[in-house]
Amino acid sequence: MNFKDSVVIVTGAGNGIGRGVALGYANEGAKVVVADIDREAAEATLNLINSTYGDGLFIETDVRDPKQITHLMDETIRIYGKINILINNAGVSRFKSVYELSVEEWDDVLNINLRGNFLCAREAAKYIRRNDSGGAIVNIASTRAFMSEKDSEAYAATKGGIYALTHALAMSLQDDHILVNSISPGWIETGDYSSLRNIDHKQHPSKRVGKPEDVARACLFLTNPMNDFITGENLIVDGGMTRKMIYEH
Ligand SMILES: NC(=O)c1ccc[n+]([C@@H]2O[C@H](COP(=O)([O-])OP(=O)(O)OC[C@H]3O[C@@H](n4cnc5c(N)ncnc54)[C@H](O)[C@@H]3O)[C@@H](O)[C@H]2O)c1
């Protein structure tokens, strides 16, 4: 129960990786704030937290809206009195031909994945710095910050942006004792894991596709006060895929 007295905000915690991260902290005794635009999904996560582990809260939040982000932080303070950890996980991947991607679509992906990430970090840091022991922020990037498939310009740009934003924030927030790191997941299966094919698993040096719990454990590691010598860093959690040479022999 390393996080028993911690208040943790997880954006995008209604589904997939965010839900896994929220449950990971709840399992360690934290009070978890589920922040998501999807009410139904978020309430399902909240039910899991409250029926299994104890203490959670849902605050409906669209990370595109600066006012809703301020409300998220203020409400968390009103109810729990402090913020120790922020996991910036909310994100969308909309792939479209480079020739067809409109300005509106580009802006929307940037506003959710990158601007939302910055605004949540800025607003959470205003409270995290009040703690004697500071706290930590983890931004969820992607291995697509470093490698690409076709038609992923907006998404890739946000994830590269998160990589750079992370080390900039780590420098700016150092005197407030706030650690800032990112995690770059590879293929994390958020659907039916049992439907994956043998080849899906075998192509990974780890010999399996990732799960939300893999990212959750990385978050727990990076936000554990015992690991406070790590800041401004990016941790790749991809079963070795970005280390694999793909020349065919
Ligand atoms: N699944 C993967 O393989 C993978 C790989 C690399 C990176 N990631 C990143 O991990 C994060 C989570 O991905 P996932 O696969 O769990 O996705 P997901 O679609 O399953 O979940 C994303 C969550 O974010 C929420 N969300 C979307 N727009 C929002 C907004 N404007 N405001 C608040 N919440 C919003 C959704 O409602 C949803 O609950 C994303 O940042 C994604 O880019 C995922």
Side-chain angles (χ1 to χ4, degrees):
M1 289 274 181
N2 276 324
F3 295 88
K4 201 167 179 358
D5 296 317
S6 299
V7 176
V8 183
I9 297 175
V10 184
T11 69
N15 293 286
I17 293 174
R19 175 179 285 181
V21 171
L23 296 178
Y25 279 104
N27 191 35
E28 292 289 332
K31 295 178 172 64
V32 180
V33 178
V34 174
D36 205 297
I37 198 175
D38 181 341
R39 171 173 278 275
E40 206 174 309
E43 279 173 351
T45 300
L46 189 63
N47 285 340
L48 279 171
I49 291 173
N50 288 338
S51 62
T52 319
Y53 312 102
D55 212 344
L57 177 69
F58 165 50
I59 302 176
E60 193 167 348
T61 312
D62 183 342
V63 299
R64 284 173 289 203
D65 182 348
K67 285 202 186 72
Q68 292 189 35
I69 291 172
T70 308
H71 174 259
L72 166 65
M73 305 308 162
D74 291 347
E75 272 298 283
T76 303
I77 293 296
R78 192 178 68 75
I79 293 165
Y80 286 141
K82 62 173 183 165
I83 301 169
N84 300 97
I85 294 166
L86 166 70
I87 310 296
N88 261 321
N89 164 80
V92 293
S93 55
R94 297 185 188 135
F95 292 178
K96 195 164 180 182
S97 161
V98 61
Y99 295 109
E100 286 162 19
L101 187 74
S102 69
V103 170
E104 291 74 23
E105 288 165 332
W106 168 271
D107 285 349
D108 200 45
V109 175
L110 270 281
N111 287 343
I112 297 169
N113 291 11
L114 185 55
R115 195 185 74 173
N117 202 302
F118 166 68
L119 292 175
C120 287
R122 187 186 72 187
E123 294 308 308
K126 290 178 184 173
Y127 290 112
I128 299 174
R129 70 179 170 182
R130 293 183 185 177
N131 306 327
D132 291 339
S133 55
I137 297 172
V138 174
N139 300 322
I140 305 299
S142 167
T143 49
R144 290 174 188 272
F146 314 110
M147 61 200 307
S148 292
E149 288 173 309
K150 285 179 179 173
D151 304 332
S152 63
E153 281 69 25
Y155 184 80
T158 63
K159 296 304 182 178
I162 288 172
Y163 176 85
L165 173 67
T166 298
H167 58 70
L169 284 170
M171 295 305 106
S172 300
L173 300 178
Q174 59 179 302
D175 295 333
D176 295 323
H177 306 288
I178 303 176
L179 307 171
V180 189
N181 292 289
S182 59
I183 293 171
S184 289
W187 180 353
I188 304 296
E189 183 55 44
T190 58
D192 179 7
Y193 197 82
S194 65
S195 70
L196 293 172
R197 302 162 305 165
N198 221 9
I199 190 178
D200 299 331
H201 295 296
K202 287 280 156 58
Q203 65 184 294
H204 287 76
S206 63
K207 300 299 165 207
R208 69 171 177 87
V209 172
K211 301 177 177 182
E213 302 90 282
D214 293 307
V215 180
R217 281 191 293 275
C219 288
L220 292 171
F221 173 78
L222 290 172
T223 58
N224 187 325
M226 285 187 71
N227 298 324
D228 65 356
F229 199 50
I230 306 172
T231 192
E233 192 48 80
N234 176 67
L235 179 59
I236 294 180
V237 179
D238 73 341
M241 284 300 276
T242 50
R243 290 298 190 202
K244 179 175 162 181
M245 281 195 182
I246 55 165
Y247 300 114
E248 287 174 16
H249 298 286

